[in-house]
Amino acid sequence: MIPSLRREDLRIIGFNLSKILFIVSIVMLIPIIVAVIYGEFEIIPHFLIGSSISVILGSITHHYWETDKEMELKHALCFAALTWIVSMLVTAIPLWTTGSTNSYLDANFDTMSGFTTSGLTLVPDIDHLSYSINFYRHFLQFFGGIGIIVISLTVLSRSELSSVLTFKGEARDIGIKPNIVRTARVILGIAIAFMVIGSVLFTAAGIIEGANLRTAIFDGVNYSMAAYSTGGFAPHSQNMLFYHSTLYEVIALIIFLIGSFNFSFHYSILSGRRREIFKNIEIKTFFTILLLSTLVISGLLLFSGVYSTPDVLFRKAFFQAASAQTTTGFGTLYPVQISTIWPSTVVFMMAMLMMIGASANSTAGGIKAIRIGVMVKSFVREIKKALSPRSATVETTYHHVEDTPLTETVAKGAMLIAFSYVLLFIVGTTITMLHGYGMSDSMFETASAVGNTGLSSGITSPAMPDTLKVTYIFLMWAGRLEIMAVLVLIGFTILGIRRGFRK
Amino acid sequence: MGLRKFSLRAFLKKNLDFIAGVSSEIGLCIGIIIIALAISFFLVFIKSLA
């Protein structure tokens, strides 16, 4: 019989969620520094209210569900899924109370988009947001990006289906909680290092392009956080178009490409194993797909007469393809241009890139390049098997930090997760089309939500139906957690309710 | 006091792997960007021949 959630399980999950509420309460206090710097004292109470509510809820759950029992995998998966929901609900408070969004639902949409590093937004007037609220949105993406790497390395990787996520640098036999703390420290160090490098480069580029120092620094920090977390939020409604600068776009490309690398890959490279660049299956798969797509997309846009010069092709076709596959969502053209100027074949290819995504154990979303690489290797192995004599054994390995045998479990896990993403994509596209949108736009927008990308064909706006907003919140959430954790939570909850959460 | 004791050589030596690693990753990205730019030039060249 499938085990359901018992009261003791709820207590363990709830107790650990209380700690998330405490962390989130601190996250909501950090933008107060920005509010003080820019003299936005009227905004400070909104962050204090949000933070206080988070502390109160955290204290209540901490007090009533206190337990010293360790989390098991089933608790950890439910905890991971609920972390994003709880964080979304409380961090939406300052966005809502300051009137930055039209409703509490819209605020939830934006915070889920932030925490999942998606980048779709329902903020109606980004250009007139206060500095502190604008910083807050980007900080949520940075925080959410680090959060998903930690959860991916310490929780999701423990499941058989996600065995390709395993981080070889950490011991898997230690408890989940100490592993989370230890891994988070290392990830935070690396993320801050790249974020600082990005901020300096963006600030310098801003000054070169004529921005004043104050704007250049503010934009530099925010673009850097959004780029490293492959988030795609921007402090201006025109997104990357605001600066109209090739230099700014190249810096963005470098930072979000680095942000989309697997943490295990970062760890290997930064600890001296630089040959990994040429051997890693995920890096090879990711860049092969990206460059082949760039060739095809650029060719289609060039020969259909949309663009005619190499620099524009590079800045529109390659930038958008890289932004889509790394699931960043920075845009060098307006959403409406995607659906009106670009051929539908290119729009479809961009949707596929968003679904494929970049690396596992990174801030990027989608199916992940390592799974695509594993599936291709597995496919080739099956062909080899069919061509070989019956007595022959065909063994295949793949290199990801170390040479690993390609087992049936790994191949099956990759295929099941990929299948789940495709299923989610079909369901999301169908629901969007039922709201009256065209097929091409619906596919693009759904792929953007499921793959946590943030590029838009124009569907996502404050005026979109509430049911579609809820649908996209669910798609971003499920996509971020590779669907499995969400399915485990839903399954356990249904079984728990049916069995009355027995003791 | 702290700055007076700071030695750039010692810092670089201690963090050599990290600095080389960061440079390698940035170099990898620049390499891919150059290939993408070359693809754009190549396609425009092909079109000009047609």
Side-chain angles (χ1 to χ4, degrees), chain A residues 194 197 257-258 261 266 269-270 274 287 295 298-299 302-303 310 314 318, chain B residues 17-18 20-22 24-25 29 32-33 36-37 39-41 43-44 47:
Chain A
F194 279 115
I197 292 170
L257 280 170
I258 289 175
F261 291 160
H266 277 306
I269 300 294
L270 298 177
R274 281 181 287 281
F287 282 126
L295 182 71
S298 300
L302 180 71
F303 286 95
F314 170 78
F318 174 66
Chain B
D17 272 342
F18 188 82
V22 170
S24 305
E25 290 194 24
C29 296
I32 296 299
I33 289 168
L37 196 56
I39 289 172
S40 305
F41 274 98
L43 286 170
V44 172
K47 198 189 175 194

PDB file of all heavy atoms in Angstrom, chain A residues 194 197 257-258 261 266 269-270 274 287 295 298-299 302-303 310 314 318, chain B residues 17-18 20-22 24-25 29 32-33 36-37 39-41 43-44 47:
ATOM      1  N   PHE A 194      30.197  35.493  -8.535  1.00  0.00           N
ATOM      2  CA  PHE A 194      29.785  35.805  -9.909  1.00  0.00           C
ATOM      3  C   PHE A 194      28.853  37.021  -9.958  1.00  0.00           C
ATOM      4  O   PHE A 194      28.876  37.800 -10.917  1.00  0.00           O
ATOM      5  CB  PHE A 194      29.118  34.593 -10.566  1.00  0.00           C
ATOM      6  CG  PHE A 194      30.114  33.587 -11.087  1.00  0.00           C
ATOM      7  CD1 PHE A 194      30.199  32.319 -10.546  1.00  0.00           C
ATOM      8  CD2 PHE A 194      30.968  33.923 -12.126  1.00  0.00           C
ATOM      9  CE1 PHE A 194      31.121  31.396 -11.015  1.00  0.00           C
ATOM     10  CE2 PHE A 194      31.894  33.001 -12.616  1.00  0.00           C
ATOM     11  CZ  PHE A 194      31.971  31.737 -12.050  1.00  0.00           C
ATOM     12  N   ILE A 197      31.073  40.094  -9.775  1.00  0.00           N
ATOM     13  CA  ILE A 197      31.751  40.292 -11.067  1.00  0.00           C
ATOM     14  C   ILE A 197      30.758  40.888 -12.077  1.00  0.00           C
ATOM     15  O   ILE A 197      31.050  41.864 -12.773  1.00  0.00           O
ATOM     16  CB  ILE A 197      32.318  38.944 -11.602  1.00  0.00           C
ATOM     17  CG1 ILE A 197      33.466  38.460 -10.705  1.00  0.00           C
ATOM     18  CG2 ILE A 197      32.793  39.085 -13.051  1.00  0.00           C
ATOM     19  CD1 ILE A 197      33.923  37.038 -10.987  1.00  0.00           C
ATOM     20  N   LEU A 257      24.959  32.799 -19.165  1.00  0.00           N
ATOM     21  CA  LEU A 257      25.483  31.485 -19.599  1.00  0.00           C
ATOM     22  C   LEU A 257      26.180  30.809 -18.413  1.00  0.00           C
ATOM     23  O   LEU A 257      25.986  29.615 -18.159  1.00  0.00           O
ATOM     24  CB  LEU A 257      26.459  31.649 -20.768  1.00  0.00           C
ATOM     25  CG  LEU A 257      25.835  31.849 -22.164  1.00  0.00           C
ATOM     26  CD1 LEU A 257      26.887  32.239 -23.183  1.00  0.00           C
ATOM     27  CD2 LEU A 257      25.095  30.596 -22.632  1.00  0.00           C
ATOM     28  N   ILE A 258      26.981  31.591 -17.668  1.00  0.00           N
ATOM     29  CA  ILE A 258      27.658  31.037 -16.485  1.00  0.00           C
ATOM     30  C   ILE A 258      26.624  30.587 -15.442  1.00  0.00           C
ATOM     31  O   ILE A 258      26.743  29.515 -14.848  1.00  0.00           O
ATOM     32  CB  ILE A 258      28.644  32.062 -15.885  1.00  0.00           C
ATOM     33  CG1 ILE A 258      29.861  32.232 -16.814  1.00  0.00           C
ATOM     34  CG2 ILE A 258      29.099  31.647 -14.481  1.00  0.00           C
ATOM     35  CD1 ILE A 258      30.853  33.300 -16.397  1.00  0.00           C
ATOM     36  N   PHE A 261      25.199  27.096 -15.859  1.00  0.00           N
ATOM     37  CA  PHE A 261      26.049  25.903 -15.743  1.00  0.00           C
ATOM     38  C   PHE A 261      25.709  25.112 -14.482  1.00  0.00           C
ATOM     39  O   PHE A 261      25.347  25.688 -13.454  1.00  0.00           O
ATOM     40  CB  PHE A 261      27.536  26.290 -15.675  1.00  0.00           C
ATOM     41  CG  PHE A 261      28.090  26.855 -16.956  1.00  0.00           C
ATOM     42  CD1 PHE A 261      29.250  27.602 -16.948  1.00  0.00           C
ATOM     43  CD2 PHE A 261      27.463  26.636 -18.170  1.00  0.00           C
ATOM     44  CE1 PHE A 261      29.766  28.141 -18.131  1.00  0.00           C
ATOM     45  CE2 PHE A 261      27.961  27.163 -19.355  1.00  0.00           C
ATOM     46  CZ  PHE A 261      29.115  27.916 -19.331  1.00  0.00           C
ATOM     47  N   HIS A 266      30.676  23.879 -12.067  1.00  0.00           N
ATOM     48  CA  HIS A 266      31.361  25.029 -11.437  1.00  0.00           C
ATOM     49  C   HIS A 266      32.400  24.530 -10.430  1.00  0.00           C
ATOM     50  O   HIS A 266      33.536  24.979 -10.414  1.00  0.00           O
ATOM     51  CB  HIS A 266      30.356  25.877 -10.635  1.00  0.00           C
ATOM     52  CG  HIS A 266      29.578  26.855 -11.443  1.00  0.00           C
ATOM     53  ND1 HIS A 266      30.163  27.781 -12.263  1.00  0.00           N
ATOM     54  CD2 HIS A 266      28.247  27.062 -11.545  1.00  0.00           C
ATOM     55  CE1 HIS A 266      29.207  28.517 -12.834  1.00  0.00           C
ATOM     56  NE2 HIS A 266      28.048  28.083 -12.416  1.00  0.00           N
ATOM     57  N   ILE A 269      35.466  23.023 -12.083  1.00  0.00           N
ATOM     58  CA  ILE A 269      36.305  24.028 -12.749  1.00  0.00           C
ATOM     59  C   ILE A 269      37.022  24.904 -11.720  1.00  0.00           C
ATOM     60  O   ILE A 269      38.226  25.156 -11.824  1.00  0.00           O
ATOM     61  CB  ILE A 269      35.439  24.920 -13.691  1.00  0.00           C
ATOM     62  CG1 ILE A 269      34.772  24.077 -14.763  1.00  0.00           C
ATOM     63  CG2 ILE A 269      36.282  26.037 -14.310  1.00  0.00           C
ATOM     64  CD1 ILE A 269      35.687  23.436 -15.752  1.00  0.00           C
ATOM     65  N   LEU A 270      36.274  25.331 -10.711  1.00  0.00           N
ATOM     66  CA  LEU A 270      36.858  26.243  -9.720  1.00  0.00           C
ATOM     67  C   LEU A 270      37.830  25.530  -8.775  1.00  0.00           C
ATOM     68  O   LEU A 270      38.579  26.178  -8.054  1.00  0.00           O
ATOM     69  CB  LEU A 270      35.755  26.939  -8.913  1.00  0.00           C
ATOM     70  CG  LEU A 270      34.798  27.818  -9.737  1.00  0.00           C
ATOM     71  CD1 LEU A 270      33.708  28.408  -8.860  1.00  0.00           C
ATOM     72  CD2 LEU A 270      35.540  28.929 -10.462  1.00  0.00           C
ATOM     73  N   ARG A 274      39.967  21.773 -14.980  1.00  0.00           N
ATOM     74  CA  ARG A 274      39.458  22.570 -16.095  1.00  0.00           C
ATOM     75  C   ARG A 274      39.233  21.769 -17.379  1.00  0.00           C
ATOM     76  O   ARG A 274      38.567  22.234 -18.297  1.00  0.00           O
ATOM     77  CB  ARG A 274      40.388  23.766 -16.331  1.00  0.00           C
ATOM     78  CG  ARG A 274      40.136  24.884 -15.329  1.00  0.00           C
ATOM     79  CD  ARG A 274      41.003  26.073 -15.532  1.00  0.00           C
ATOM     80  NE  ARG A 274      42.379  25.846 -15.132  1.00  0.00           N
ATOM     81  CZ  ARG A 274      42.814  25.870 -13.879  1.00  0.00           C
ATOM     82  NH1 ARG A 274      41.959  26.078 -12.886  1.00  0.00           N
ATOM     83  NH2 ARG A 274      44.079  25.658 -13.582  1.00  0.00           N
ATOM     84  N   PHE A 287      25.751  23.297 -25.516  1.00  0.00           N
ATOM     85  CA  PHE A 287      26.283  24.200 -26.535  1.00  0.00           C
ATOM     86  C   PHE A 287      26.027  23.686 -27.959  1.00  0.00           C
ATOM     87  O   PHE A 287      25.857  24.483 -28.881  1.00  0.00           O
ATOM     88  CB  PHE A 287      27.777  24.465 -26.294  1.00  0.00           C
ATOM     89  CG  PHE A 287      28.000  25.467 -25.191  1.00  0.00           C
ATOM     90  CD1 PHE A 287      28.808  25.169 -24.110  1.00  0.00           C
ATOM     91  CD2 PHE A 287      27.386  26.710 -25.231  1.00  0.00           C
ATOM     92  CE1 PHE A 287      29.004  26.096 -23.082  1.00  0.00           C
ATOM     93  CE2 PHE A 287      27.571  27.638 -24.209  1.00  0.00           C
ATOM     94  CZ  PHE A 287      28.379  27.334 -23.138  1.00  0.00           C
ATOM     95  N   LEU A 295      22.084  28.548 -35.665  1.00  0.00           N
ATOM     96  CA  LEU A 295      22.278  28.434 -37.115  1.00  0.00           C
ATOM     97  C   LEU A 295      20.931  28.403 -37.839  1.00  0.00           C
ATOM     98  O   LEU A 295      20.701  29.149 -38.798  1.00  0.00           O
ATOM     99  CB  LEU A 295      23.087  27.163 -37.426  1.00  0.00           C
ATOM    100  CG  LEU A 295      23.423  26.903 -38.886  1.00  0.00           C
ATOM    101  CD1 LEU A 295      24.459  27.902 -39.383  1.00  0.00           C
ATOM    102  CD2 LEU A 295      23.958  25.482 -39.081  1.00  0.00           C
ATOM    103  N   SER A 298      18.787  31.759 -37.085  1.00  0.00           N
ATOM    104  CA  SER A 298      19.385  32.895 -37.816  1.00  0.00           C
ATOM    105  C   SER A 298      19.111  32.747 -39.307  1.00  0.00           C
ATOM    106  O   SER A 298      18.757  33.726 -39.981  1.00  0.00           O
ATOM    107  CB  SER A 298      20.896  32.947 -37.581  1.00  0.00           C
ATOM    108  OG  SER A 298      21.177  33.108 -36.222  1.00  0.00           O
ATOM    109  N   GLY A 299      19.272  31.521 -39.815  1.00  0.00           N
ATOM    110  CA  GLY A 299      19.025  31.263 -41.240  1.00  0.00           C
ATOM    111  C   GLY A 299      17.587  31.584 -41.614  1.00  0.00           C
ATOM    112  O   GLY A 299      17.333  32.277 -42.611  1.00  0.00           O
ATOM    113  N   LEU A 302      17.013  35.332 -41.469  1.00  0.00           N
ATOM    114  CA  LEU A 302      17.741  36.028 -42.539  1.00  0.00           C
ATOM    115  C   LEU A 302      17.068  35.817 -43.896  1.00  0.00           C
ATOM    116  O   LEU A 302      16.779  36.778 -44.622  1.00  0.00           O
ATOM    117  CB  LEU A 302      19.190  35.524 -42.573  1.00  0.00           C
ATOM    118  CG  LEU A 302      20.097  36.141 -43.628  1.00  0.00           C
ATOM    119  CD1 LEU A 302      20.432  37.590 -43.293  1.00  0.00           C
ATOM    120  CD2 LEU A 302      21.405  35.348 -43.748  1.00  0.00           C
ATOM    121  N   PHE A 303      16.788  34.537 -44.198  1.00  0.00           N
ATOM    122  CA  PHE A 303      16.247  34.237 -45.521  1.00  0.00           C
ATOM    123  C   PHE A 303      14.757  34.592 -45.664  1.00  0.00           C
ATOM    124  O   PHE A 303      14.246  34.652 -46.766  1.00  0.00           O
ATOM    125  CB  PHE A 303      16.512  32.774 -45.885  1.00  0.00           C
ATOM    126  CG  PHE A 303      17.964  32.534 -46.228  1.00  0.00           C
ATOM    127  CD1 PHE A 303      18.848  32.071 -45.261  1.00  0.00           C
ATOM    128  CD2 PHE A 303      18.456  32.816 -47.503  1.00  0.00           C
ATOM    129  CE1 PHE A 303      20.196  31.878 -45.556  1.00  0.00           C
ATOM    130  CE2 PHE A 303      19.796  32.628 -47.808  1.00  0.00           C
ATOM    131  CZ  PHE A 303      20.672  32.159 -46.829  1.00  0.00           C
ATOM    132  N   PRO A 310      24.728  40.966 -40.060  1.00  0.00           N
ATOM    133  CA  PRO A 310      25.218  40.002 -39.066  1.00  0.00           C
ATOM    134  C   PRO A 310      25.098  40.478 -37.621  1.00  0.00           C
ATOM    135  O   PRO A 310      24.779  39.686 -36.737  1.00  0.00           O
ATOM    136  CB  PRO A 310      26.693  39.796 -39.442  1.00  0.00           C
ATOM    137  CG  PRO A 310      27.021  40.825 -40.453  1.00  0.00           C
ATOM    138  CD  PRO A 310      25.756  41.319 -41.036  1.00  0.00           C
ATOM    139  N   PHE A 314      23.001  38.562 -34.752  1.00  0.00           N
ATOM    140  CA  PHE A 314      23.623  38.125 -33.500  1.00  0.00           C
ATOM    141  C   PHE A 314      22.842  38.638 -32.300  1.00  0.00           C
ATOM    142  O   PHE A 314      22.530  37.883 -31.374  1.00  0.00           O
ATOM    143  CB  PHE A 314      25.074  38.636 -33.443  1.00  0.00           C
ATOM    144  CG  PHE A 314      25.740  38.445 -32.109  1.00  0.00           C
ATOM    145  CD1 PHE A 314      26.227  37.201 -31.736  1.00  0.00           C
ATOM    146  CD2 PHE A 314      25.872  39.511 -31.223  1.00  0.00           C
ATOM    147  CE1 PHE A 314      26.829  37.023 -30.497  1.00  0.00           C
ATOM    148  CE2 PHE A 314      26.470  39.335 -29.988  1.00  0.00           C
ATOM    149  CZ  PHE A 314      26.955  38.101 -29.628  1.00  0.00           C
ATOM    150  N   PHE A 318      20.742  35.099 -31.917  1.00  0.00           N
ATOM    151  CA  PHE A 318      21.546  34.353 -30.941  1.00  0.00           C
ATOM    152  C   PHE A 318      21.189  34.753 -29.515  1.00  0.00           C
ATOM    153  O   PHE A 318      21.029  33.890 -28.646  1.00  0.00           O
ATOM    154  CB  PHE A 318      23.045  34.573 -31.174  1.00  0.00           C
ATOM    155  CG  PHE A 318      23.908  33.945 -30.101  1.00  0.00           C
ATOM    156  CD1 PHE A 318      23.963  32.558 -29.958  1.00  0.00           C
ATOM    157  CD2 PHE A 318      24.630  34.721 -29.204  1.00  0.00           C
ATOM    158  CE1 PHE A 318      24.731  31.972 -28.948  1.00  0.00           C
ATOM    159  CE2 PHE A 318      25.398  34.142 -28.194  1.00  0.00           C
ATOM    160  CZ  PHE A 318      25.446  32.765 -28.084  1.00  0.00           C
TER     161      PHE A 318
ATOM    162  N   ASP B  17      43.411  28.609  -8.310  1.00  0.00           N
ATOM    163  CA  ASP B  17      42.442  27.712  -8.945  1.00  0.00           C
ATOM    164  C   ASP B  17      41.120  28.419  -9.186  1.00  0.00           C
ATOM    165  O   ASP B  17      40.504  28.269 -10.241  1.00  0.00           O
ATOM    166  CB  ASP B  17      42.210  26.474  -8.066  1.00  0.00           C
ATOM    167  CG  ASP B  17      43.212  25.379  -8.387  1.00  0.00           C
ATOM    168  OD1 ASP B  17      43.822  25.452  -9.482  1.00  0.00           O
ATOM    169  OD2 ASP B  17      43.410  24.488  -7.541  1.00  0.00           O
ATOM    170  N   PHE B  18      40.694  29.183  -8.187  1.00  0.00           N
ATOM    171  CA  PHE B  18      39.405  29.874  -8.290  1.00  0.00           C
ATOM    172  C   PHE B  18      39.452  30.926  -9.399  1.00  0.00           C
ATOM    173  O   PHE B  18      38.557  30.979 -10.249  1.00  0.00           O
ATOM    174  CB  PHE B  18      39.056  30.537  -6.954  1.00  0.00           C
ATOM    175  CG  PHE B  18      37.674  31.105  -6.917  1.00  0.00           C
ATOM    176  CD1 PHE B  18      36.573  30.295  -6.653  1.00  0.00           C
ATOM    177  CD2 PHE B  18      37.449  32.449  -7.165  1.00  0.00           C
ATOM    178  CE1 PHE B  18      35.285  30.816  -6.638  1.00  0.00           C
ATOM    179  CE2 PHE B  18      36.166  32.981  -7.150  1.00  0.00           C
ATOM    180  CZ  PHE B  18      35.089  32.165  -6.879  1.00  0.00           C
ATOM    181  N   ALA B  20      41.595  31.130 -11.922  1.00  0.00           N
ATOM    182  CA  ALA B  20      41.747  30.458 -13.225  1.00  0.00           C
ATOM    183  C   ALA B  20      40.428  29.827 -13.657  1.00  0.00           C
ATOM    184  O   ALA B  20      40.082  29.834 -14.847  1.00  0.00           O
ATOM    185  CB  ALA B  20      42.837  29.397 -13.128  1.00  0.00           C
ATOM    186  N   GLY B  21      39.693  29.300 -12.689  1.00  0.00           N
ATOM    187  CA  GLY B  21      38.398  28.679 -12.979  1.00  0.00           C
ATOM    188  C   GLY B  21      37.401  29.703 -13.498  1.00  0.00           C
ATOM    189  O   GLY B  21      36.721  29.475 -14.505  1.00  0.00           O
ATOM    190  N   VAL B  22      37.307  30.846 -12.810  1.00  0.00           N
ATOM    191  CA  VAL B  22      36.392  31.912 -13.234  1.00  0.00           C
ATOM    192  C   VAL B  22      36.780  32.375 -14.644  1.00  0.00           C
ATOM    193  O   VAL B  22      35.919  32.528 -15.520  1.00  0.00           O
ATOM    194  CB  VAL B  22      36.430  33.103 -12.233  1.00  0.00           C
ATOM    195  CG1 VAL B  22      35.678  34.308 -12.796  1.00  0.00           C
ATOM    196  CG2 VAL B  22      35.822  32.692 -10.895  1.00  0.00           C
ATOM    197  N   SER B  24      38.357  30.672 -16.919  1.00  0.00           N
ATOM    198  CA  SER B  24      38.026  29.605 -17.886  1.00  0.00           C
ATOM    199  C   SER B  24      36.552  29.655 -18.272  1.00  0.00           C
ATOM    200  O   SER B  24      36.200  29.513 -19.450  1.00  0.00           O
ATOM    201  CB  SER B  24      38.307  28.223 -17.292  1.00  0.00           C
ATOM    202  OG  SER B  24      39.613  28.135 -16.863  1.00  0.00           O
ATOM    203  N   GLU B  25      35.699  29.851 -17.272  1.00  0.00           N
ATOM    204  CA  GLU B  25      34.254  29.878 -17.555  1.00  0.00           C
ATOM    205  C   GLU B  25      33.900  31.089 -18.411  1.00  0.00           C
ATOM    206  O   GLU B  25      33.105  30.981 -19.355  1.00  0.00           O
ATOM    207  CB  GLU B  25      33.459  29.880 -16.247  1.00  0.00           C
ATOM    208  CG  GLU B  25      33.556  28.546 -15.522  1.00  0.00           C
ATOM    209  CD  GLU B  25      32.528  28.391 -14.413  1.00  0.00           C
ATOM    210  OE1 GLU B  25      31.480  29.048 -14.457  1.00  0.00           O
ATOM    211  OE2 GLU B  25      32.783  27.596 -13.487  1.00  0.00           O
ATOM    212  N   CYS B  29      32.463  31.089 -22.379  1.00  0.00           N
ATOM    213  CA  CYS B  29      31.293  31.853 -22.852  1.00  0.00           C
ATOM    214  C   CYS B  29      31.675  32.784 -23.995  1.00  0.00           C
ATOM    215  O   CYS B  29      30.938  32.890 -24.987  1.00  0.00           O
ATOM    216  CB  CYS B  29      30.685  32.657 -21.701  1.00  0.00           C
ATOM    217  SG  CYS B  29      30.043  31.617 -20.399  1.00  0.00           S
ATOM    218  N   ILE B  32      31.993  30.796 -27.180  1.00  0.00           N
ATOM    219  CA  ILE B  32      30.690  30.465 -27.782  1.00  0.00           C
ATOM    220  C   ILE B  32      30.096  31.695 -28.456  1.00  0.00           C
ATOM    221  O   ILE B  32      29.525  31.603 -29.553  1.00  0.00           O
ATOM    222  CB  ILE B  32      29.727  29.917 -26.683  1.00  0.00           C
ATOM    223  CG1 ILE B  32      30.253  28.589 -26.112  1.00  0.00           C
ATOM    224  CG2 ILE B  32      28.303  29.757 -27.223  1.00  0.00           C
ATOM    225  CD1 ILE B  32      30.390  27.459 -27.111  1.00  0.00           C
ATOM    226  N   ILE B  33      30.250  32.860 -27.821  1.00  0.00           N
ATOM    227  CA  ILE B  33      29.719  34.102 -28.406  1.00  0.00           C
ATOM    228  C   ILE B  33      30.410  34.392 -29.746  1.00  0.00           C
ATOM    229  O   ILE B  33      29.763  34.781 -30.720  1.00  0.00           O
ATOM    230  CB  ILE B  33      29.902  35.276 -27.405  1.00  0.00           C
ATOM    231  CG1 ILE B  33      28.931  35.103 -26.228  1.00  0.00           C
ATOM    232  CG2 ILE B  33      29.694  36.633 -28.073  1.00  0.00           C
ATOM    233  CD1 ILE B  33      29.192  36.013 -25.041  1.00  0.00           C
ATOM    234  N   ALA B  36      29.022  32.098 -32.354  1.00  0.00           N
ATOM    235  CA  ALA B  36      27.682  32.553 -32.755  1.00  0.00           C
ATOM    236  C   ALA B  36      27.783  33.746 -33.708  1.00  0.00           C
ATOM    237  O   ALA B  36      27.032  33.830 -34.694  1.00  0.00           O
ATOM    238  CB  ALA B  36      26.870  32.929 -31.524  1.00  0.00           C
ATOM    239  N   LEU B  37      28.717  34.645 -33.416  1.00  0.00           N
ATOM    240  CA  LEU B  37      28.921  35.812 -34.289  1.00  0.00           C
ATOM    241  C   LEU B  37      29.408  35.353 -35.662  1.00  0.00           C
ATOM    242  O   LEU B  37      28.953  35.862 -36.702  1.00  0.00           O
ATOM    243  CB  LEU B  37      29.942  36.749 -33.631  1.00  0.00           C
ATOM    244  CG  LEU B  37      30.031  38.182 -34.155  1.00  0.00           C
ATOM    245  CD1 LEU B  37      28.672  38.879 -34.081  1.00  0.00           C
ATOM    246  CD2 LEU B  37      31.061  38.977 -33.359  1.00  0.00           C
ATOM    247  N   ILE B  39      28.760  32.518 -37.048  1.00  0.00           N
ATOM    248  CA  ILE B  39      27.602  31.920 -37.743  1.00  0.00           C
ATOM    249  C   ILE B  39      26.798  33.021 -38.447  1.00  0.00           C
ATOM    250  O   ILE B  39      26.394  32.875 -39.604  1.00  0.00           O
ATOM    251  CB  ILE B  39      26.701  31.135 -36.738  1.00  0.00           C
ATOM    252  CG1 ILE B  39      27.408  29.853 -36.286  1.00  0.00           C
ATOM    253  CG2 ILE B  39      25.343  30.811 -37.343  1.00  0.00           C
ATOM    254  CD1 ILE B  39      26.697  29.100 -35.165  1.00  0.00           C
ATOM    255  N   SER B  40      26.582  34.142 -37.739  1.00  0.00           N
ATOM    256  CA  SER B  40      25.823  35.255 -38.324  1.00  0.00           C
ATOM    257  C   SER B  40      26.518  35.781 -39.588  1.00  0.00           C
ATOM    258  O   SER B  40      25.868  36.000 -40.617  1.00  0.00           O
ATOM    259  CB  SER B  40      25.676  36.397 -37.322  1.00  0.00           C
ATOM    260  OG  SER B  40      25.099  35.939 -36.132  1.00  0.00           O
ATOM    261  N   PHE B  41      27.832  35.989 -39.493  1.00  0.00           N
ATOM    262  CA  PHE B  41      28.595  36.483 -40.651  1.00  0.00           C
ATOM    263  C   PHE B  41      28.550  35.477 -41.804  1.00  0.00           C
ATOM    264  O   PHE B  41      28.384  35.841 -42.965  1.00  0.00           O
ATOM    265  CB  PHE B  41      30.056  36.768 -40.254  1.00  0.00           C
ATOM    266  CG  PHE B  41      30.243  38.153 -39.692  1.00  0.00           C
ATOM    267  CD1 PHE B  41      30.276  38.365 -38.321  1.00  0.00           C
ATOM    268  CD2 PHE B  41      30.366  39.252 -40.533  1.00  0.00           C
ATOM    269  CE1 PHE B  41      30.443  39.646 -37.798  1.00  0.00           C
ATOM    270  CE2 PHE B  41      30.536  40.535 -40.029  1.00  0.00           C
ATOM    271  CZ  PHE B  41      30.571  40.733 -38.647  1.00  0.00           C
ATOM    272  N   LEU B  43      26.255  33.194 -42.484  1.00  0.00           N
ATOM    273  CA  LEU B  43      24.939  33.138 -43.122  1.00  0.00           C
ATOM    274  C   LEU B  43      24.715  34.339 -44.048  1.00  0.00           C
ATOM    275  O   LEU B  43      24.186  34.186 -45.155  1.00  0.00           O
ATOM    276  CB  LEU B  43      23.840  33.078 -42.050  1.00  0.00           C
ATOM    277  CG  LEU B  43      23.691  31.746 -41.327  1.00  0.00           C
ATOM    278  CD1 LEU B  43      22.750  31.877 -40.136  1.00  0.00           C
ATOM    279  CD2 LEU B  43      23.171  30.664 -42.272  1.00  0.00           C
ATOM    280  N   VAL B  44      25.129  35.522 -43.586  1.00  0.00           N
ATOM    281  CA  VAL B  44      24.965  36.720 -44.415  1.00  0.00           C
ATOM    282  C   VAL B  44      25.829  36.601 -45.678  1.00  0.00           C
ATOM    283  O   VAL B  44      25.400  36.974 -46.773  1.00  0.00           O
ATOM    284  CB  VAL B  44      25.327  37.994 -43.604  1.00  0.00           C
ATOM    285  CG1 VAL B  44      25.340  39.230 -44.509  1.00  0.00           C
ATOM    286  CG2 VAL B  44      24.327  38.201 -42.471  1.00  0.00           C
ATOM    287  N   LYS B  47      24.101  34.272 -48.049  1.00  0.00           N
ATOM    288  CA  LYS B  47      22.954  34.944 -48.687  1.00  0.00           C
ATOM    289  C   LYS B  47      23.417  35.893 -49.788  1.00  0.00           C
ATOM    290  O   LYS B  47      22.750  36.038 -50.820  1.00  0.00           O
ATOM    291  CB  LYS B  47      22.142  35.708 -47.636  1.00  0.00           C
ATOM    292  CG  LYS B  47      20.740  36.040 -48.132  1.00  0.00           C
ATOM    293  CD  LYS B  47      19.983  36.970 -47.240  1.00  0.00           C
ATOM    294  CE  LYS B  47      18.652  37.328 -47.892  1.00  0.00           C
ATOM    295  NZ  LYS B  47      18.014  38.459 -47.252  1.00  0.00           N
TER     296      LYS B  47
END
